[in-house]
Amino acid sequence: MPVEEEAPPRWPSRVTVCEVGPRDGLQNEKAVLTLEQKVELIDRISAAGAKIIEVGSFVNPKAVPRMADTDEVARRIKRLDGVEYRVLVFNLRGLERAEAVGLRKAKLTVSASRTHSIKNAGKPPEEAVKAFADCAEYAASKGITLSGAIPTSFGCNFEGRIPIEQVLSVVASFIEIGVRELSLSDTTGMANPRQVYEYSRMVRETYPDITWNLHFHNTRGMGLANVVAGMLAGVDRFDAGFAGLGGCPFVPNAAGNIATEDLLHMCQEMGVQTDYDLDEVISIARYARDLVGHDTDSFILRAGRNSDLVGSRDEAPKN
Ligand code: ZN
């Protein structure tokens, strides 16, 4: 029998790395940064090449005190042309705050897991999305673009593996209220590369006109492998956070986001363009790590880049 020729993998020539450290990272750290430090981190990461930055969250300050100054952060950051400054909102009030400080992009979050959604939002996912219809209307009237994030798209600490049908149902609800940009998010760090590949293929084939984004935490060491699986399934937008800060209050021993510098370094080694200045991002990550005052889940901060090794050692590695 003739051997069937396998198609070579189709690597993307370029991907967009969205910086979520100022929100997802800092929100889950014990250290409380000053307004000036937050603004500095955001301004440095935009100057280093970030095209999408999640600057904070408009949530009840009593619930998440670390995000209480997001209005002021948004007012003070240097807005660069071509950079999308995004904020997380939970209701119409949050969206009005975004509008008041001139932000043009807001993200809504609805968990794919029914249990997680009911615990978090008090309703099952489809109803939670429907409850955002007022936000969608308001956003459209003010020229604000909405994106939707779907945490626990792959696995939930209450329900285990989330079936793709459940994810597609939440996706359909988001599309119904007019959201055109969606993120499958692995808040719990339970996704595996094969599942990411299959879910990404499925959502892209079912909804080819939607802009797809993937969001991984590195809790079980599968973060970058999951990115590669997403790339092979044709996704070209990935969230990451400088220094891999953070965790998640709902998930026991959760790790932070995949580190921006780890993802950029991998892309550079793979010949995938990102338009970031990696040296500067490493310097920002080091600064962020110093600000939170503890070691973080960043391989590059620990080991340096491949290129740092070349010419720096006389001896061959021992093993
Ligand atoms: Zn996250």
Side-chain angles (χ1 to χ4, degrees):
M1 235 173 85
V3 179
E4 238 178 83
E5 223 174 283
E6 267 182 52
R10 279 188 297 173
W11 301 110
S13 56
R14 164 183 303 277
V15 297
T16 301
V17 174
C18 316
E19 176 57 58
V20 297
R23 202 276 307 166
D24 207 356
L26 293 180
Q27 174 183 311
N28 295 306
E29 286 289 343
K30 279 203 185 72
V32 181
L33 270 57
T34 66
L35 177 64
E36 288 72 24
Q37 288 165 337
K38 289 180 185 179
V39 169
E40 184 185 2
L41 283 169
I42 294 168
D43 285 348
R44 283 185 68 186
I45 201 77
S46 62
K51 290 288 177 283
I52 301 176
I53 307 173
E54 203 159 292
V55 298
S57 146
F58 288 135
V59 61
N60 181 347
K62 283 197 194 107
V64 189
R66 274 155 194 74
M67 294 288 116
D69 56 1
T70 294
D71 315 71
E72 206 44 41
V73 168
R75 267 192 210 100
R76 295 213 196 168
I77 50 175
K78 211 177 287 157
R79 309 269 178 101
L80 299 187
D81 283 347
V83 177
E84 183 183 293
Y85 298 92
R86 180 171 79 191
V87 73
L88 191 60
V89 303
F90 295 87
N91 48 36
L92 189 57
R93 175 79 196 99
L95 205 52
E96 286 166 352
R97 283 168 72 186
E99 155 72 9
V101 293
L103 292 172
R104 311 311 320 158
K105 188 69 181 271
K107 184 164 108 175
L108 307 169
T109 296
V110 172
S111 201
S113 148
R114 294 182 69 79
T115 314
H116 194 252
S117 181
I118 288 166
K119 277 182 189 284
N120 244 358
K123 357 177 146 57
E126 294 78 4
E127 280 180 43
V129 177
K130 261 191 213 125
F132 282 135
D134 59 342
C135 289
E137 209 172 293
Y138 179 83
S141 75
K142 298 288 182 186
I144 296 172
T145 308
L146 292 179
S147 67
I150 309 178
T152 66
S153 276
F154 302 95
C156 164
N157 46 321
F158 304 113
E159 294 188 6
R161 191 184 174 105
I162 300 294
I164 182 72
E165 293 74 24
Q166 204 167 320
V167 178
L168 285 170
S169 163
V170 183
V171 166
S173 307
F174 264 122
I175 292 172
E176 208 163 294
I177 65 163
V179 175
R180 313 294 303 160
E181 188 188 307
L182 289 168
S183 178
L184 304 188
S185 301
D186 183 32
T187 330
T188 52
M190 290 165 75
N192 69 73
R194 180 175 184 167
Q195 185 190 20
V196 168
Y197 180 80
E198 289 171 1
Y199 282 30
S200 300
R201 287 282 301 251
M202 182 62 98
V203 295
R204 287 192 68 238
E205 273 163 24
T206 314
Y207 299 107
D209 300 334
I210 296 297
T211 300
W212 291 103
N213 181 93
L214 293 169
H215 175 106
F216 298 116
H217 287 248
N218 205 24
T219 308
R220 290 174 183 79
M222 290 186 275
L224 289 183
N226 287 333
V227 168
V228 171
M231 282 180 183
L232 291 176
V235 178
D236 61 1
R237 276 178 182 231
F238 302 93
D239 290 350
F242 40 62
L245 299 185
C248 175
F250 307 105
V251 184
N253 299 315
N257 298 110
I258 51 171
T260 308
E261 59 279 12
D262 290 352
L263 176 53
L264 297 178
H265 176 264
M266 181 179 83
C267 288
Q268 192 174 75
E269 292 294 315
M270 292 171 73
V272 175
Q273 301 274 339
T274 61
D275 300 331
Y276 273 84
D277 175 345
L278 178 56
D279 285 338
E280 175 58 9
V281 174
I282 292 171
S283 156
I284 296 165
R286 207 173 280 134
Y287 176 56
R289 181 189 60 186
D290 292 346
L291 289 177
V292 299
H294 61 82
D295 248 342
T296 61
D297 292 314
S298 164
F299 290 94
I300 295 302
L301 288 190
R302 225 166 15 239
R305 296 165 301 180
N306 286 8
S307 58
D308 295 336
L309 290 172
V310 179
S312 70
R313 297 255 172 108
D314 298 331
E315 287 173 50
K318 297 255 180 334
N319 47 45

